Amino acid sequence: MGLTLAQKIIKAHLVSGEMIPGNEIALRIDQTLTQDATGTMAYLEFETMGIDRVRTERSVAYIDHNTLQSGFENADDHRFIQSIAKKYGIYFSRPGNGICHQVHLERFGIPGKTLIGSDSHTPTGGGIGMLAFGAGGLDVAVAMGGGAYYITMPKMIKVNLTGKLRPFVTAKDGSLEILHILSVKGGVGSIIEWGGEGVKTLSVPERATITNMGTELGATTSIFPSDEITRAFLAAEGREEVYVPLASDPDAVYDRIIDIDLSTLKPLIACPHMPDNVVTVESLKGTKVDQVCIGSCTNSSLLDLLKVAALLKGKTILPSVSLSISPGSKQVLSMLAECGALTDILASGARVLECACGPCIGMGFSPNSAGVSLRTFNRNFEGRSGTKDAKVYLVSPETAVAAALTGEITDPCLLGEMPEIVMPDAFRIDDSAILAPADPEEAKSLEVLRGPNIKKFPDSVAWEDSVRAELVLKVGDNITTDHIMPAGAKILPYRSNIPHLSQYCFGVCDATFPERAKAAGQSIVVGGVNYGQGSSREHAALVPLYLGVRAVIAKSFARIHAANLINAGIMPLTFENPEDYDRVEQGHMLSMKNVFAGMDEGKLVLVDETAGTEIPLVCSFTERQKAILKAGGLLAYTKESN
Ligand code: MIC
Ligand code: SF4
């Protein structure tokens, strides 16, 4: 029986485990990346491991999220990451050089290699045939130290593409179409491989838009074959030597095949507040728009912005609309400048922001009160933009331009002829903003520079055989890590200060949570389906740990968050009967006995002491995960095992 492309890469990197869906497997990791919002914590964790140099083929630290420096905190963190990168053998991409996923694709990604990154959109690398995973900071720290990355062997879904996109219909619409088909939980436990004849019509940036948004499906990762189009992209980056052709075997077996004819797609739009809330742009025509934001790791490539510039050329945006454009990298911005496209963008009235995540993570450019914002980003979770009552829609760059020019949601097909975009054969290569690490000898004497905002890691709490804790918070379905631990310009600077961050925990759902959790001492949180979807931020586990949360009981969990909970020593448990979710009430006192035997059997009994009821729970922890939980988290476990 043949193998899928992902199975081939897994096989070549398998350290332990059997490649049977549902089994735990361990993978050797070739490359890692971090960004600054998760990086500070990841490097603090790496330091505690006592390793003197990273053991990967390539590790890169990017500064792209916390770039508004309205106090000393972000600047201190940047300096900390820069100094630690230099000392421990990590390349450092300076602030302004671009968004981690865009720059990694341009300068470091290699087909067939494994990559983990402390950012959920790391699967963007699948656009050039990398097997790339988003992970918690601690898992990235372990991989930097040469340790394996543990995942559950995924099922394989193939999306079989035929046809060719029509003008004004884009790869982003393809991403929204698959979200419409599968929903934000449809990819959980699966790798999505994009194949079929239609693949040959998609360039690398278009493929990367699609693998980037595979994260919104909950997929373990997404991947495209590595072919002549990949070779051309790498050659344009001056890196043709790293090209290898990669494809699945013709007789590879998939658990599910989804057919999409690209030529039938229409411009699509995801409505507030979920990326799978997808309808056609046409169906919302005439809706007034206040703000348009173009950029993010989904849609900030040279191809995207050349199209935007061509559509804006000679036109001005309406006074009622505010338009921001954040290029994905210094390479993209300098090429836009060189060919004059930047002048067309500026002349249109757009505000050009720096090459960073910016508005996507609420780092500035929050919409006006109750404003309608059309964004080319990948997430429109409630409150993420920084304006709680804003209505954020996700669209393609073409649909974004149509709204900026007309002031309302408009089908971009009405913009007339799509100008022809000619992509250059060679990109402008300037790696001066990527700093190489010191050599091992010099590294020994280098100091790591720490600011006062770096606070102690929360104490680990080892699991005991019984627990008694209050149900302090009950939330619904599809709770994101943006609900659990919000981001944005005001809060993000405190990513290395868990005590400060804790005041905002669950702020979107219930601002009284932190106080109530502290008062309770030990507590339990209950959630619905797909609990913890979205960002890979381990802070969504570390902060609850700090506030005394011992377990989260949900109908189901998102992959990265479940791993982060275990790494923090918090138990993710699921209801055996999902309808039991309705039987537990916030404020009730809960308890569990014989926890260790229950973990072995995969069954635990939750006693609701207040209601006098018993509720069956299930768990399926591997031996390693049980040992981590018993030790009180991965750091404590690693220390115990050394
Ligand atoms: C996001 O898009 O939510 C982020 C900010 O990039 C996060 C990482 C973080 O929270 O720092 C992600 O996607 O993992
Ligand atoms: Fe940055 Fe937004 Fe991409 Fe996250 S999704 S890495 S915040 S651009």
Side-chain angles (χ1 to χ4, degrees), residues 35 64-65 99-101 119-122 124 212 216 295-298 300 356-362 377-379 384 492 535 537:
Q35 38 91 336
D64 55 0
H65 281 63
I99 305 174
C100 54
H101 309 303
D119 191 283
S120 64
H121 290 103
T122 306
T124 311
N212 174 279
E216 276 50 65
S296 92
C297 55
T298 318
S300 60
C357 302
C360 178
I361 192 56
F377 307 166
N378 46 37
R379 292 184 171 150
R384 181 176 161 100
L492 272 172
S535 156
R537 61 190 72 147

Side-chain angles (χ1 to χ4, degrees), residues 532-565:
Q533 67 158 323
S535 156
S536 66
R537 61 190 72 147
E538 60 189 333
H539 304 76
L542 294 177
V543 171
L545 166 69
Y546 173 82
L547 291 171
V549 176
R550 304 303 324 281
V552 178
I553 306 169
K555 291 184 189 171
S556 66
F557 287 88
R559 178 187 75 89
I560 306 176
H561 187 60
N564 285 342
L565 287 174

Side-chain angles (χ1 to χ4, degrees), residues 131-163:
L131 198 67
F133 307 94
L138 191 46
D139 283 327
V140 177
V142 168
M144 286 192 285
Y149 179 51
Y150 290 81
I151 56 165
T152 304
M153 180 67 197
K155 291 195 211 142
M156 301 288 147
I157 297 181
K158 179 172 183 182
V159 183
N160 191 38
L161 295 178
T162 51

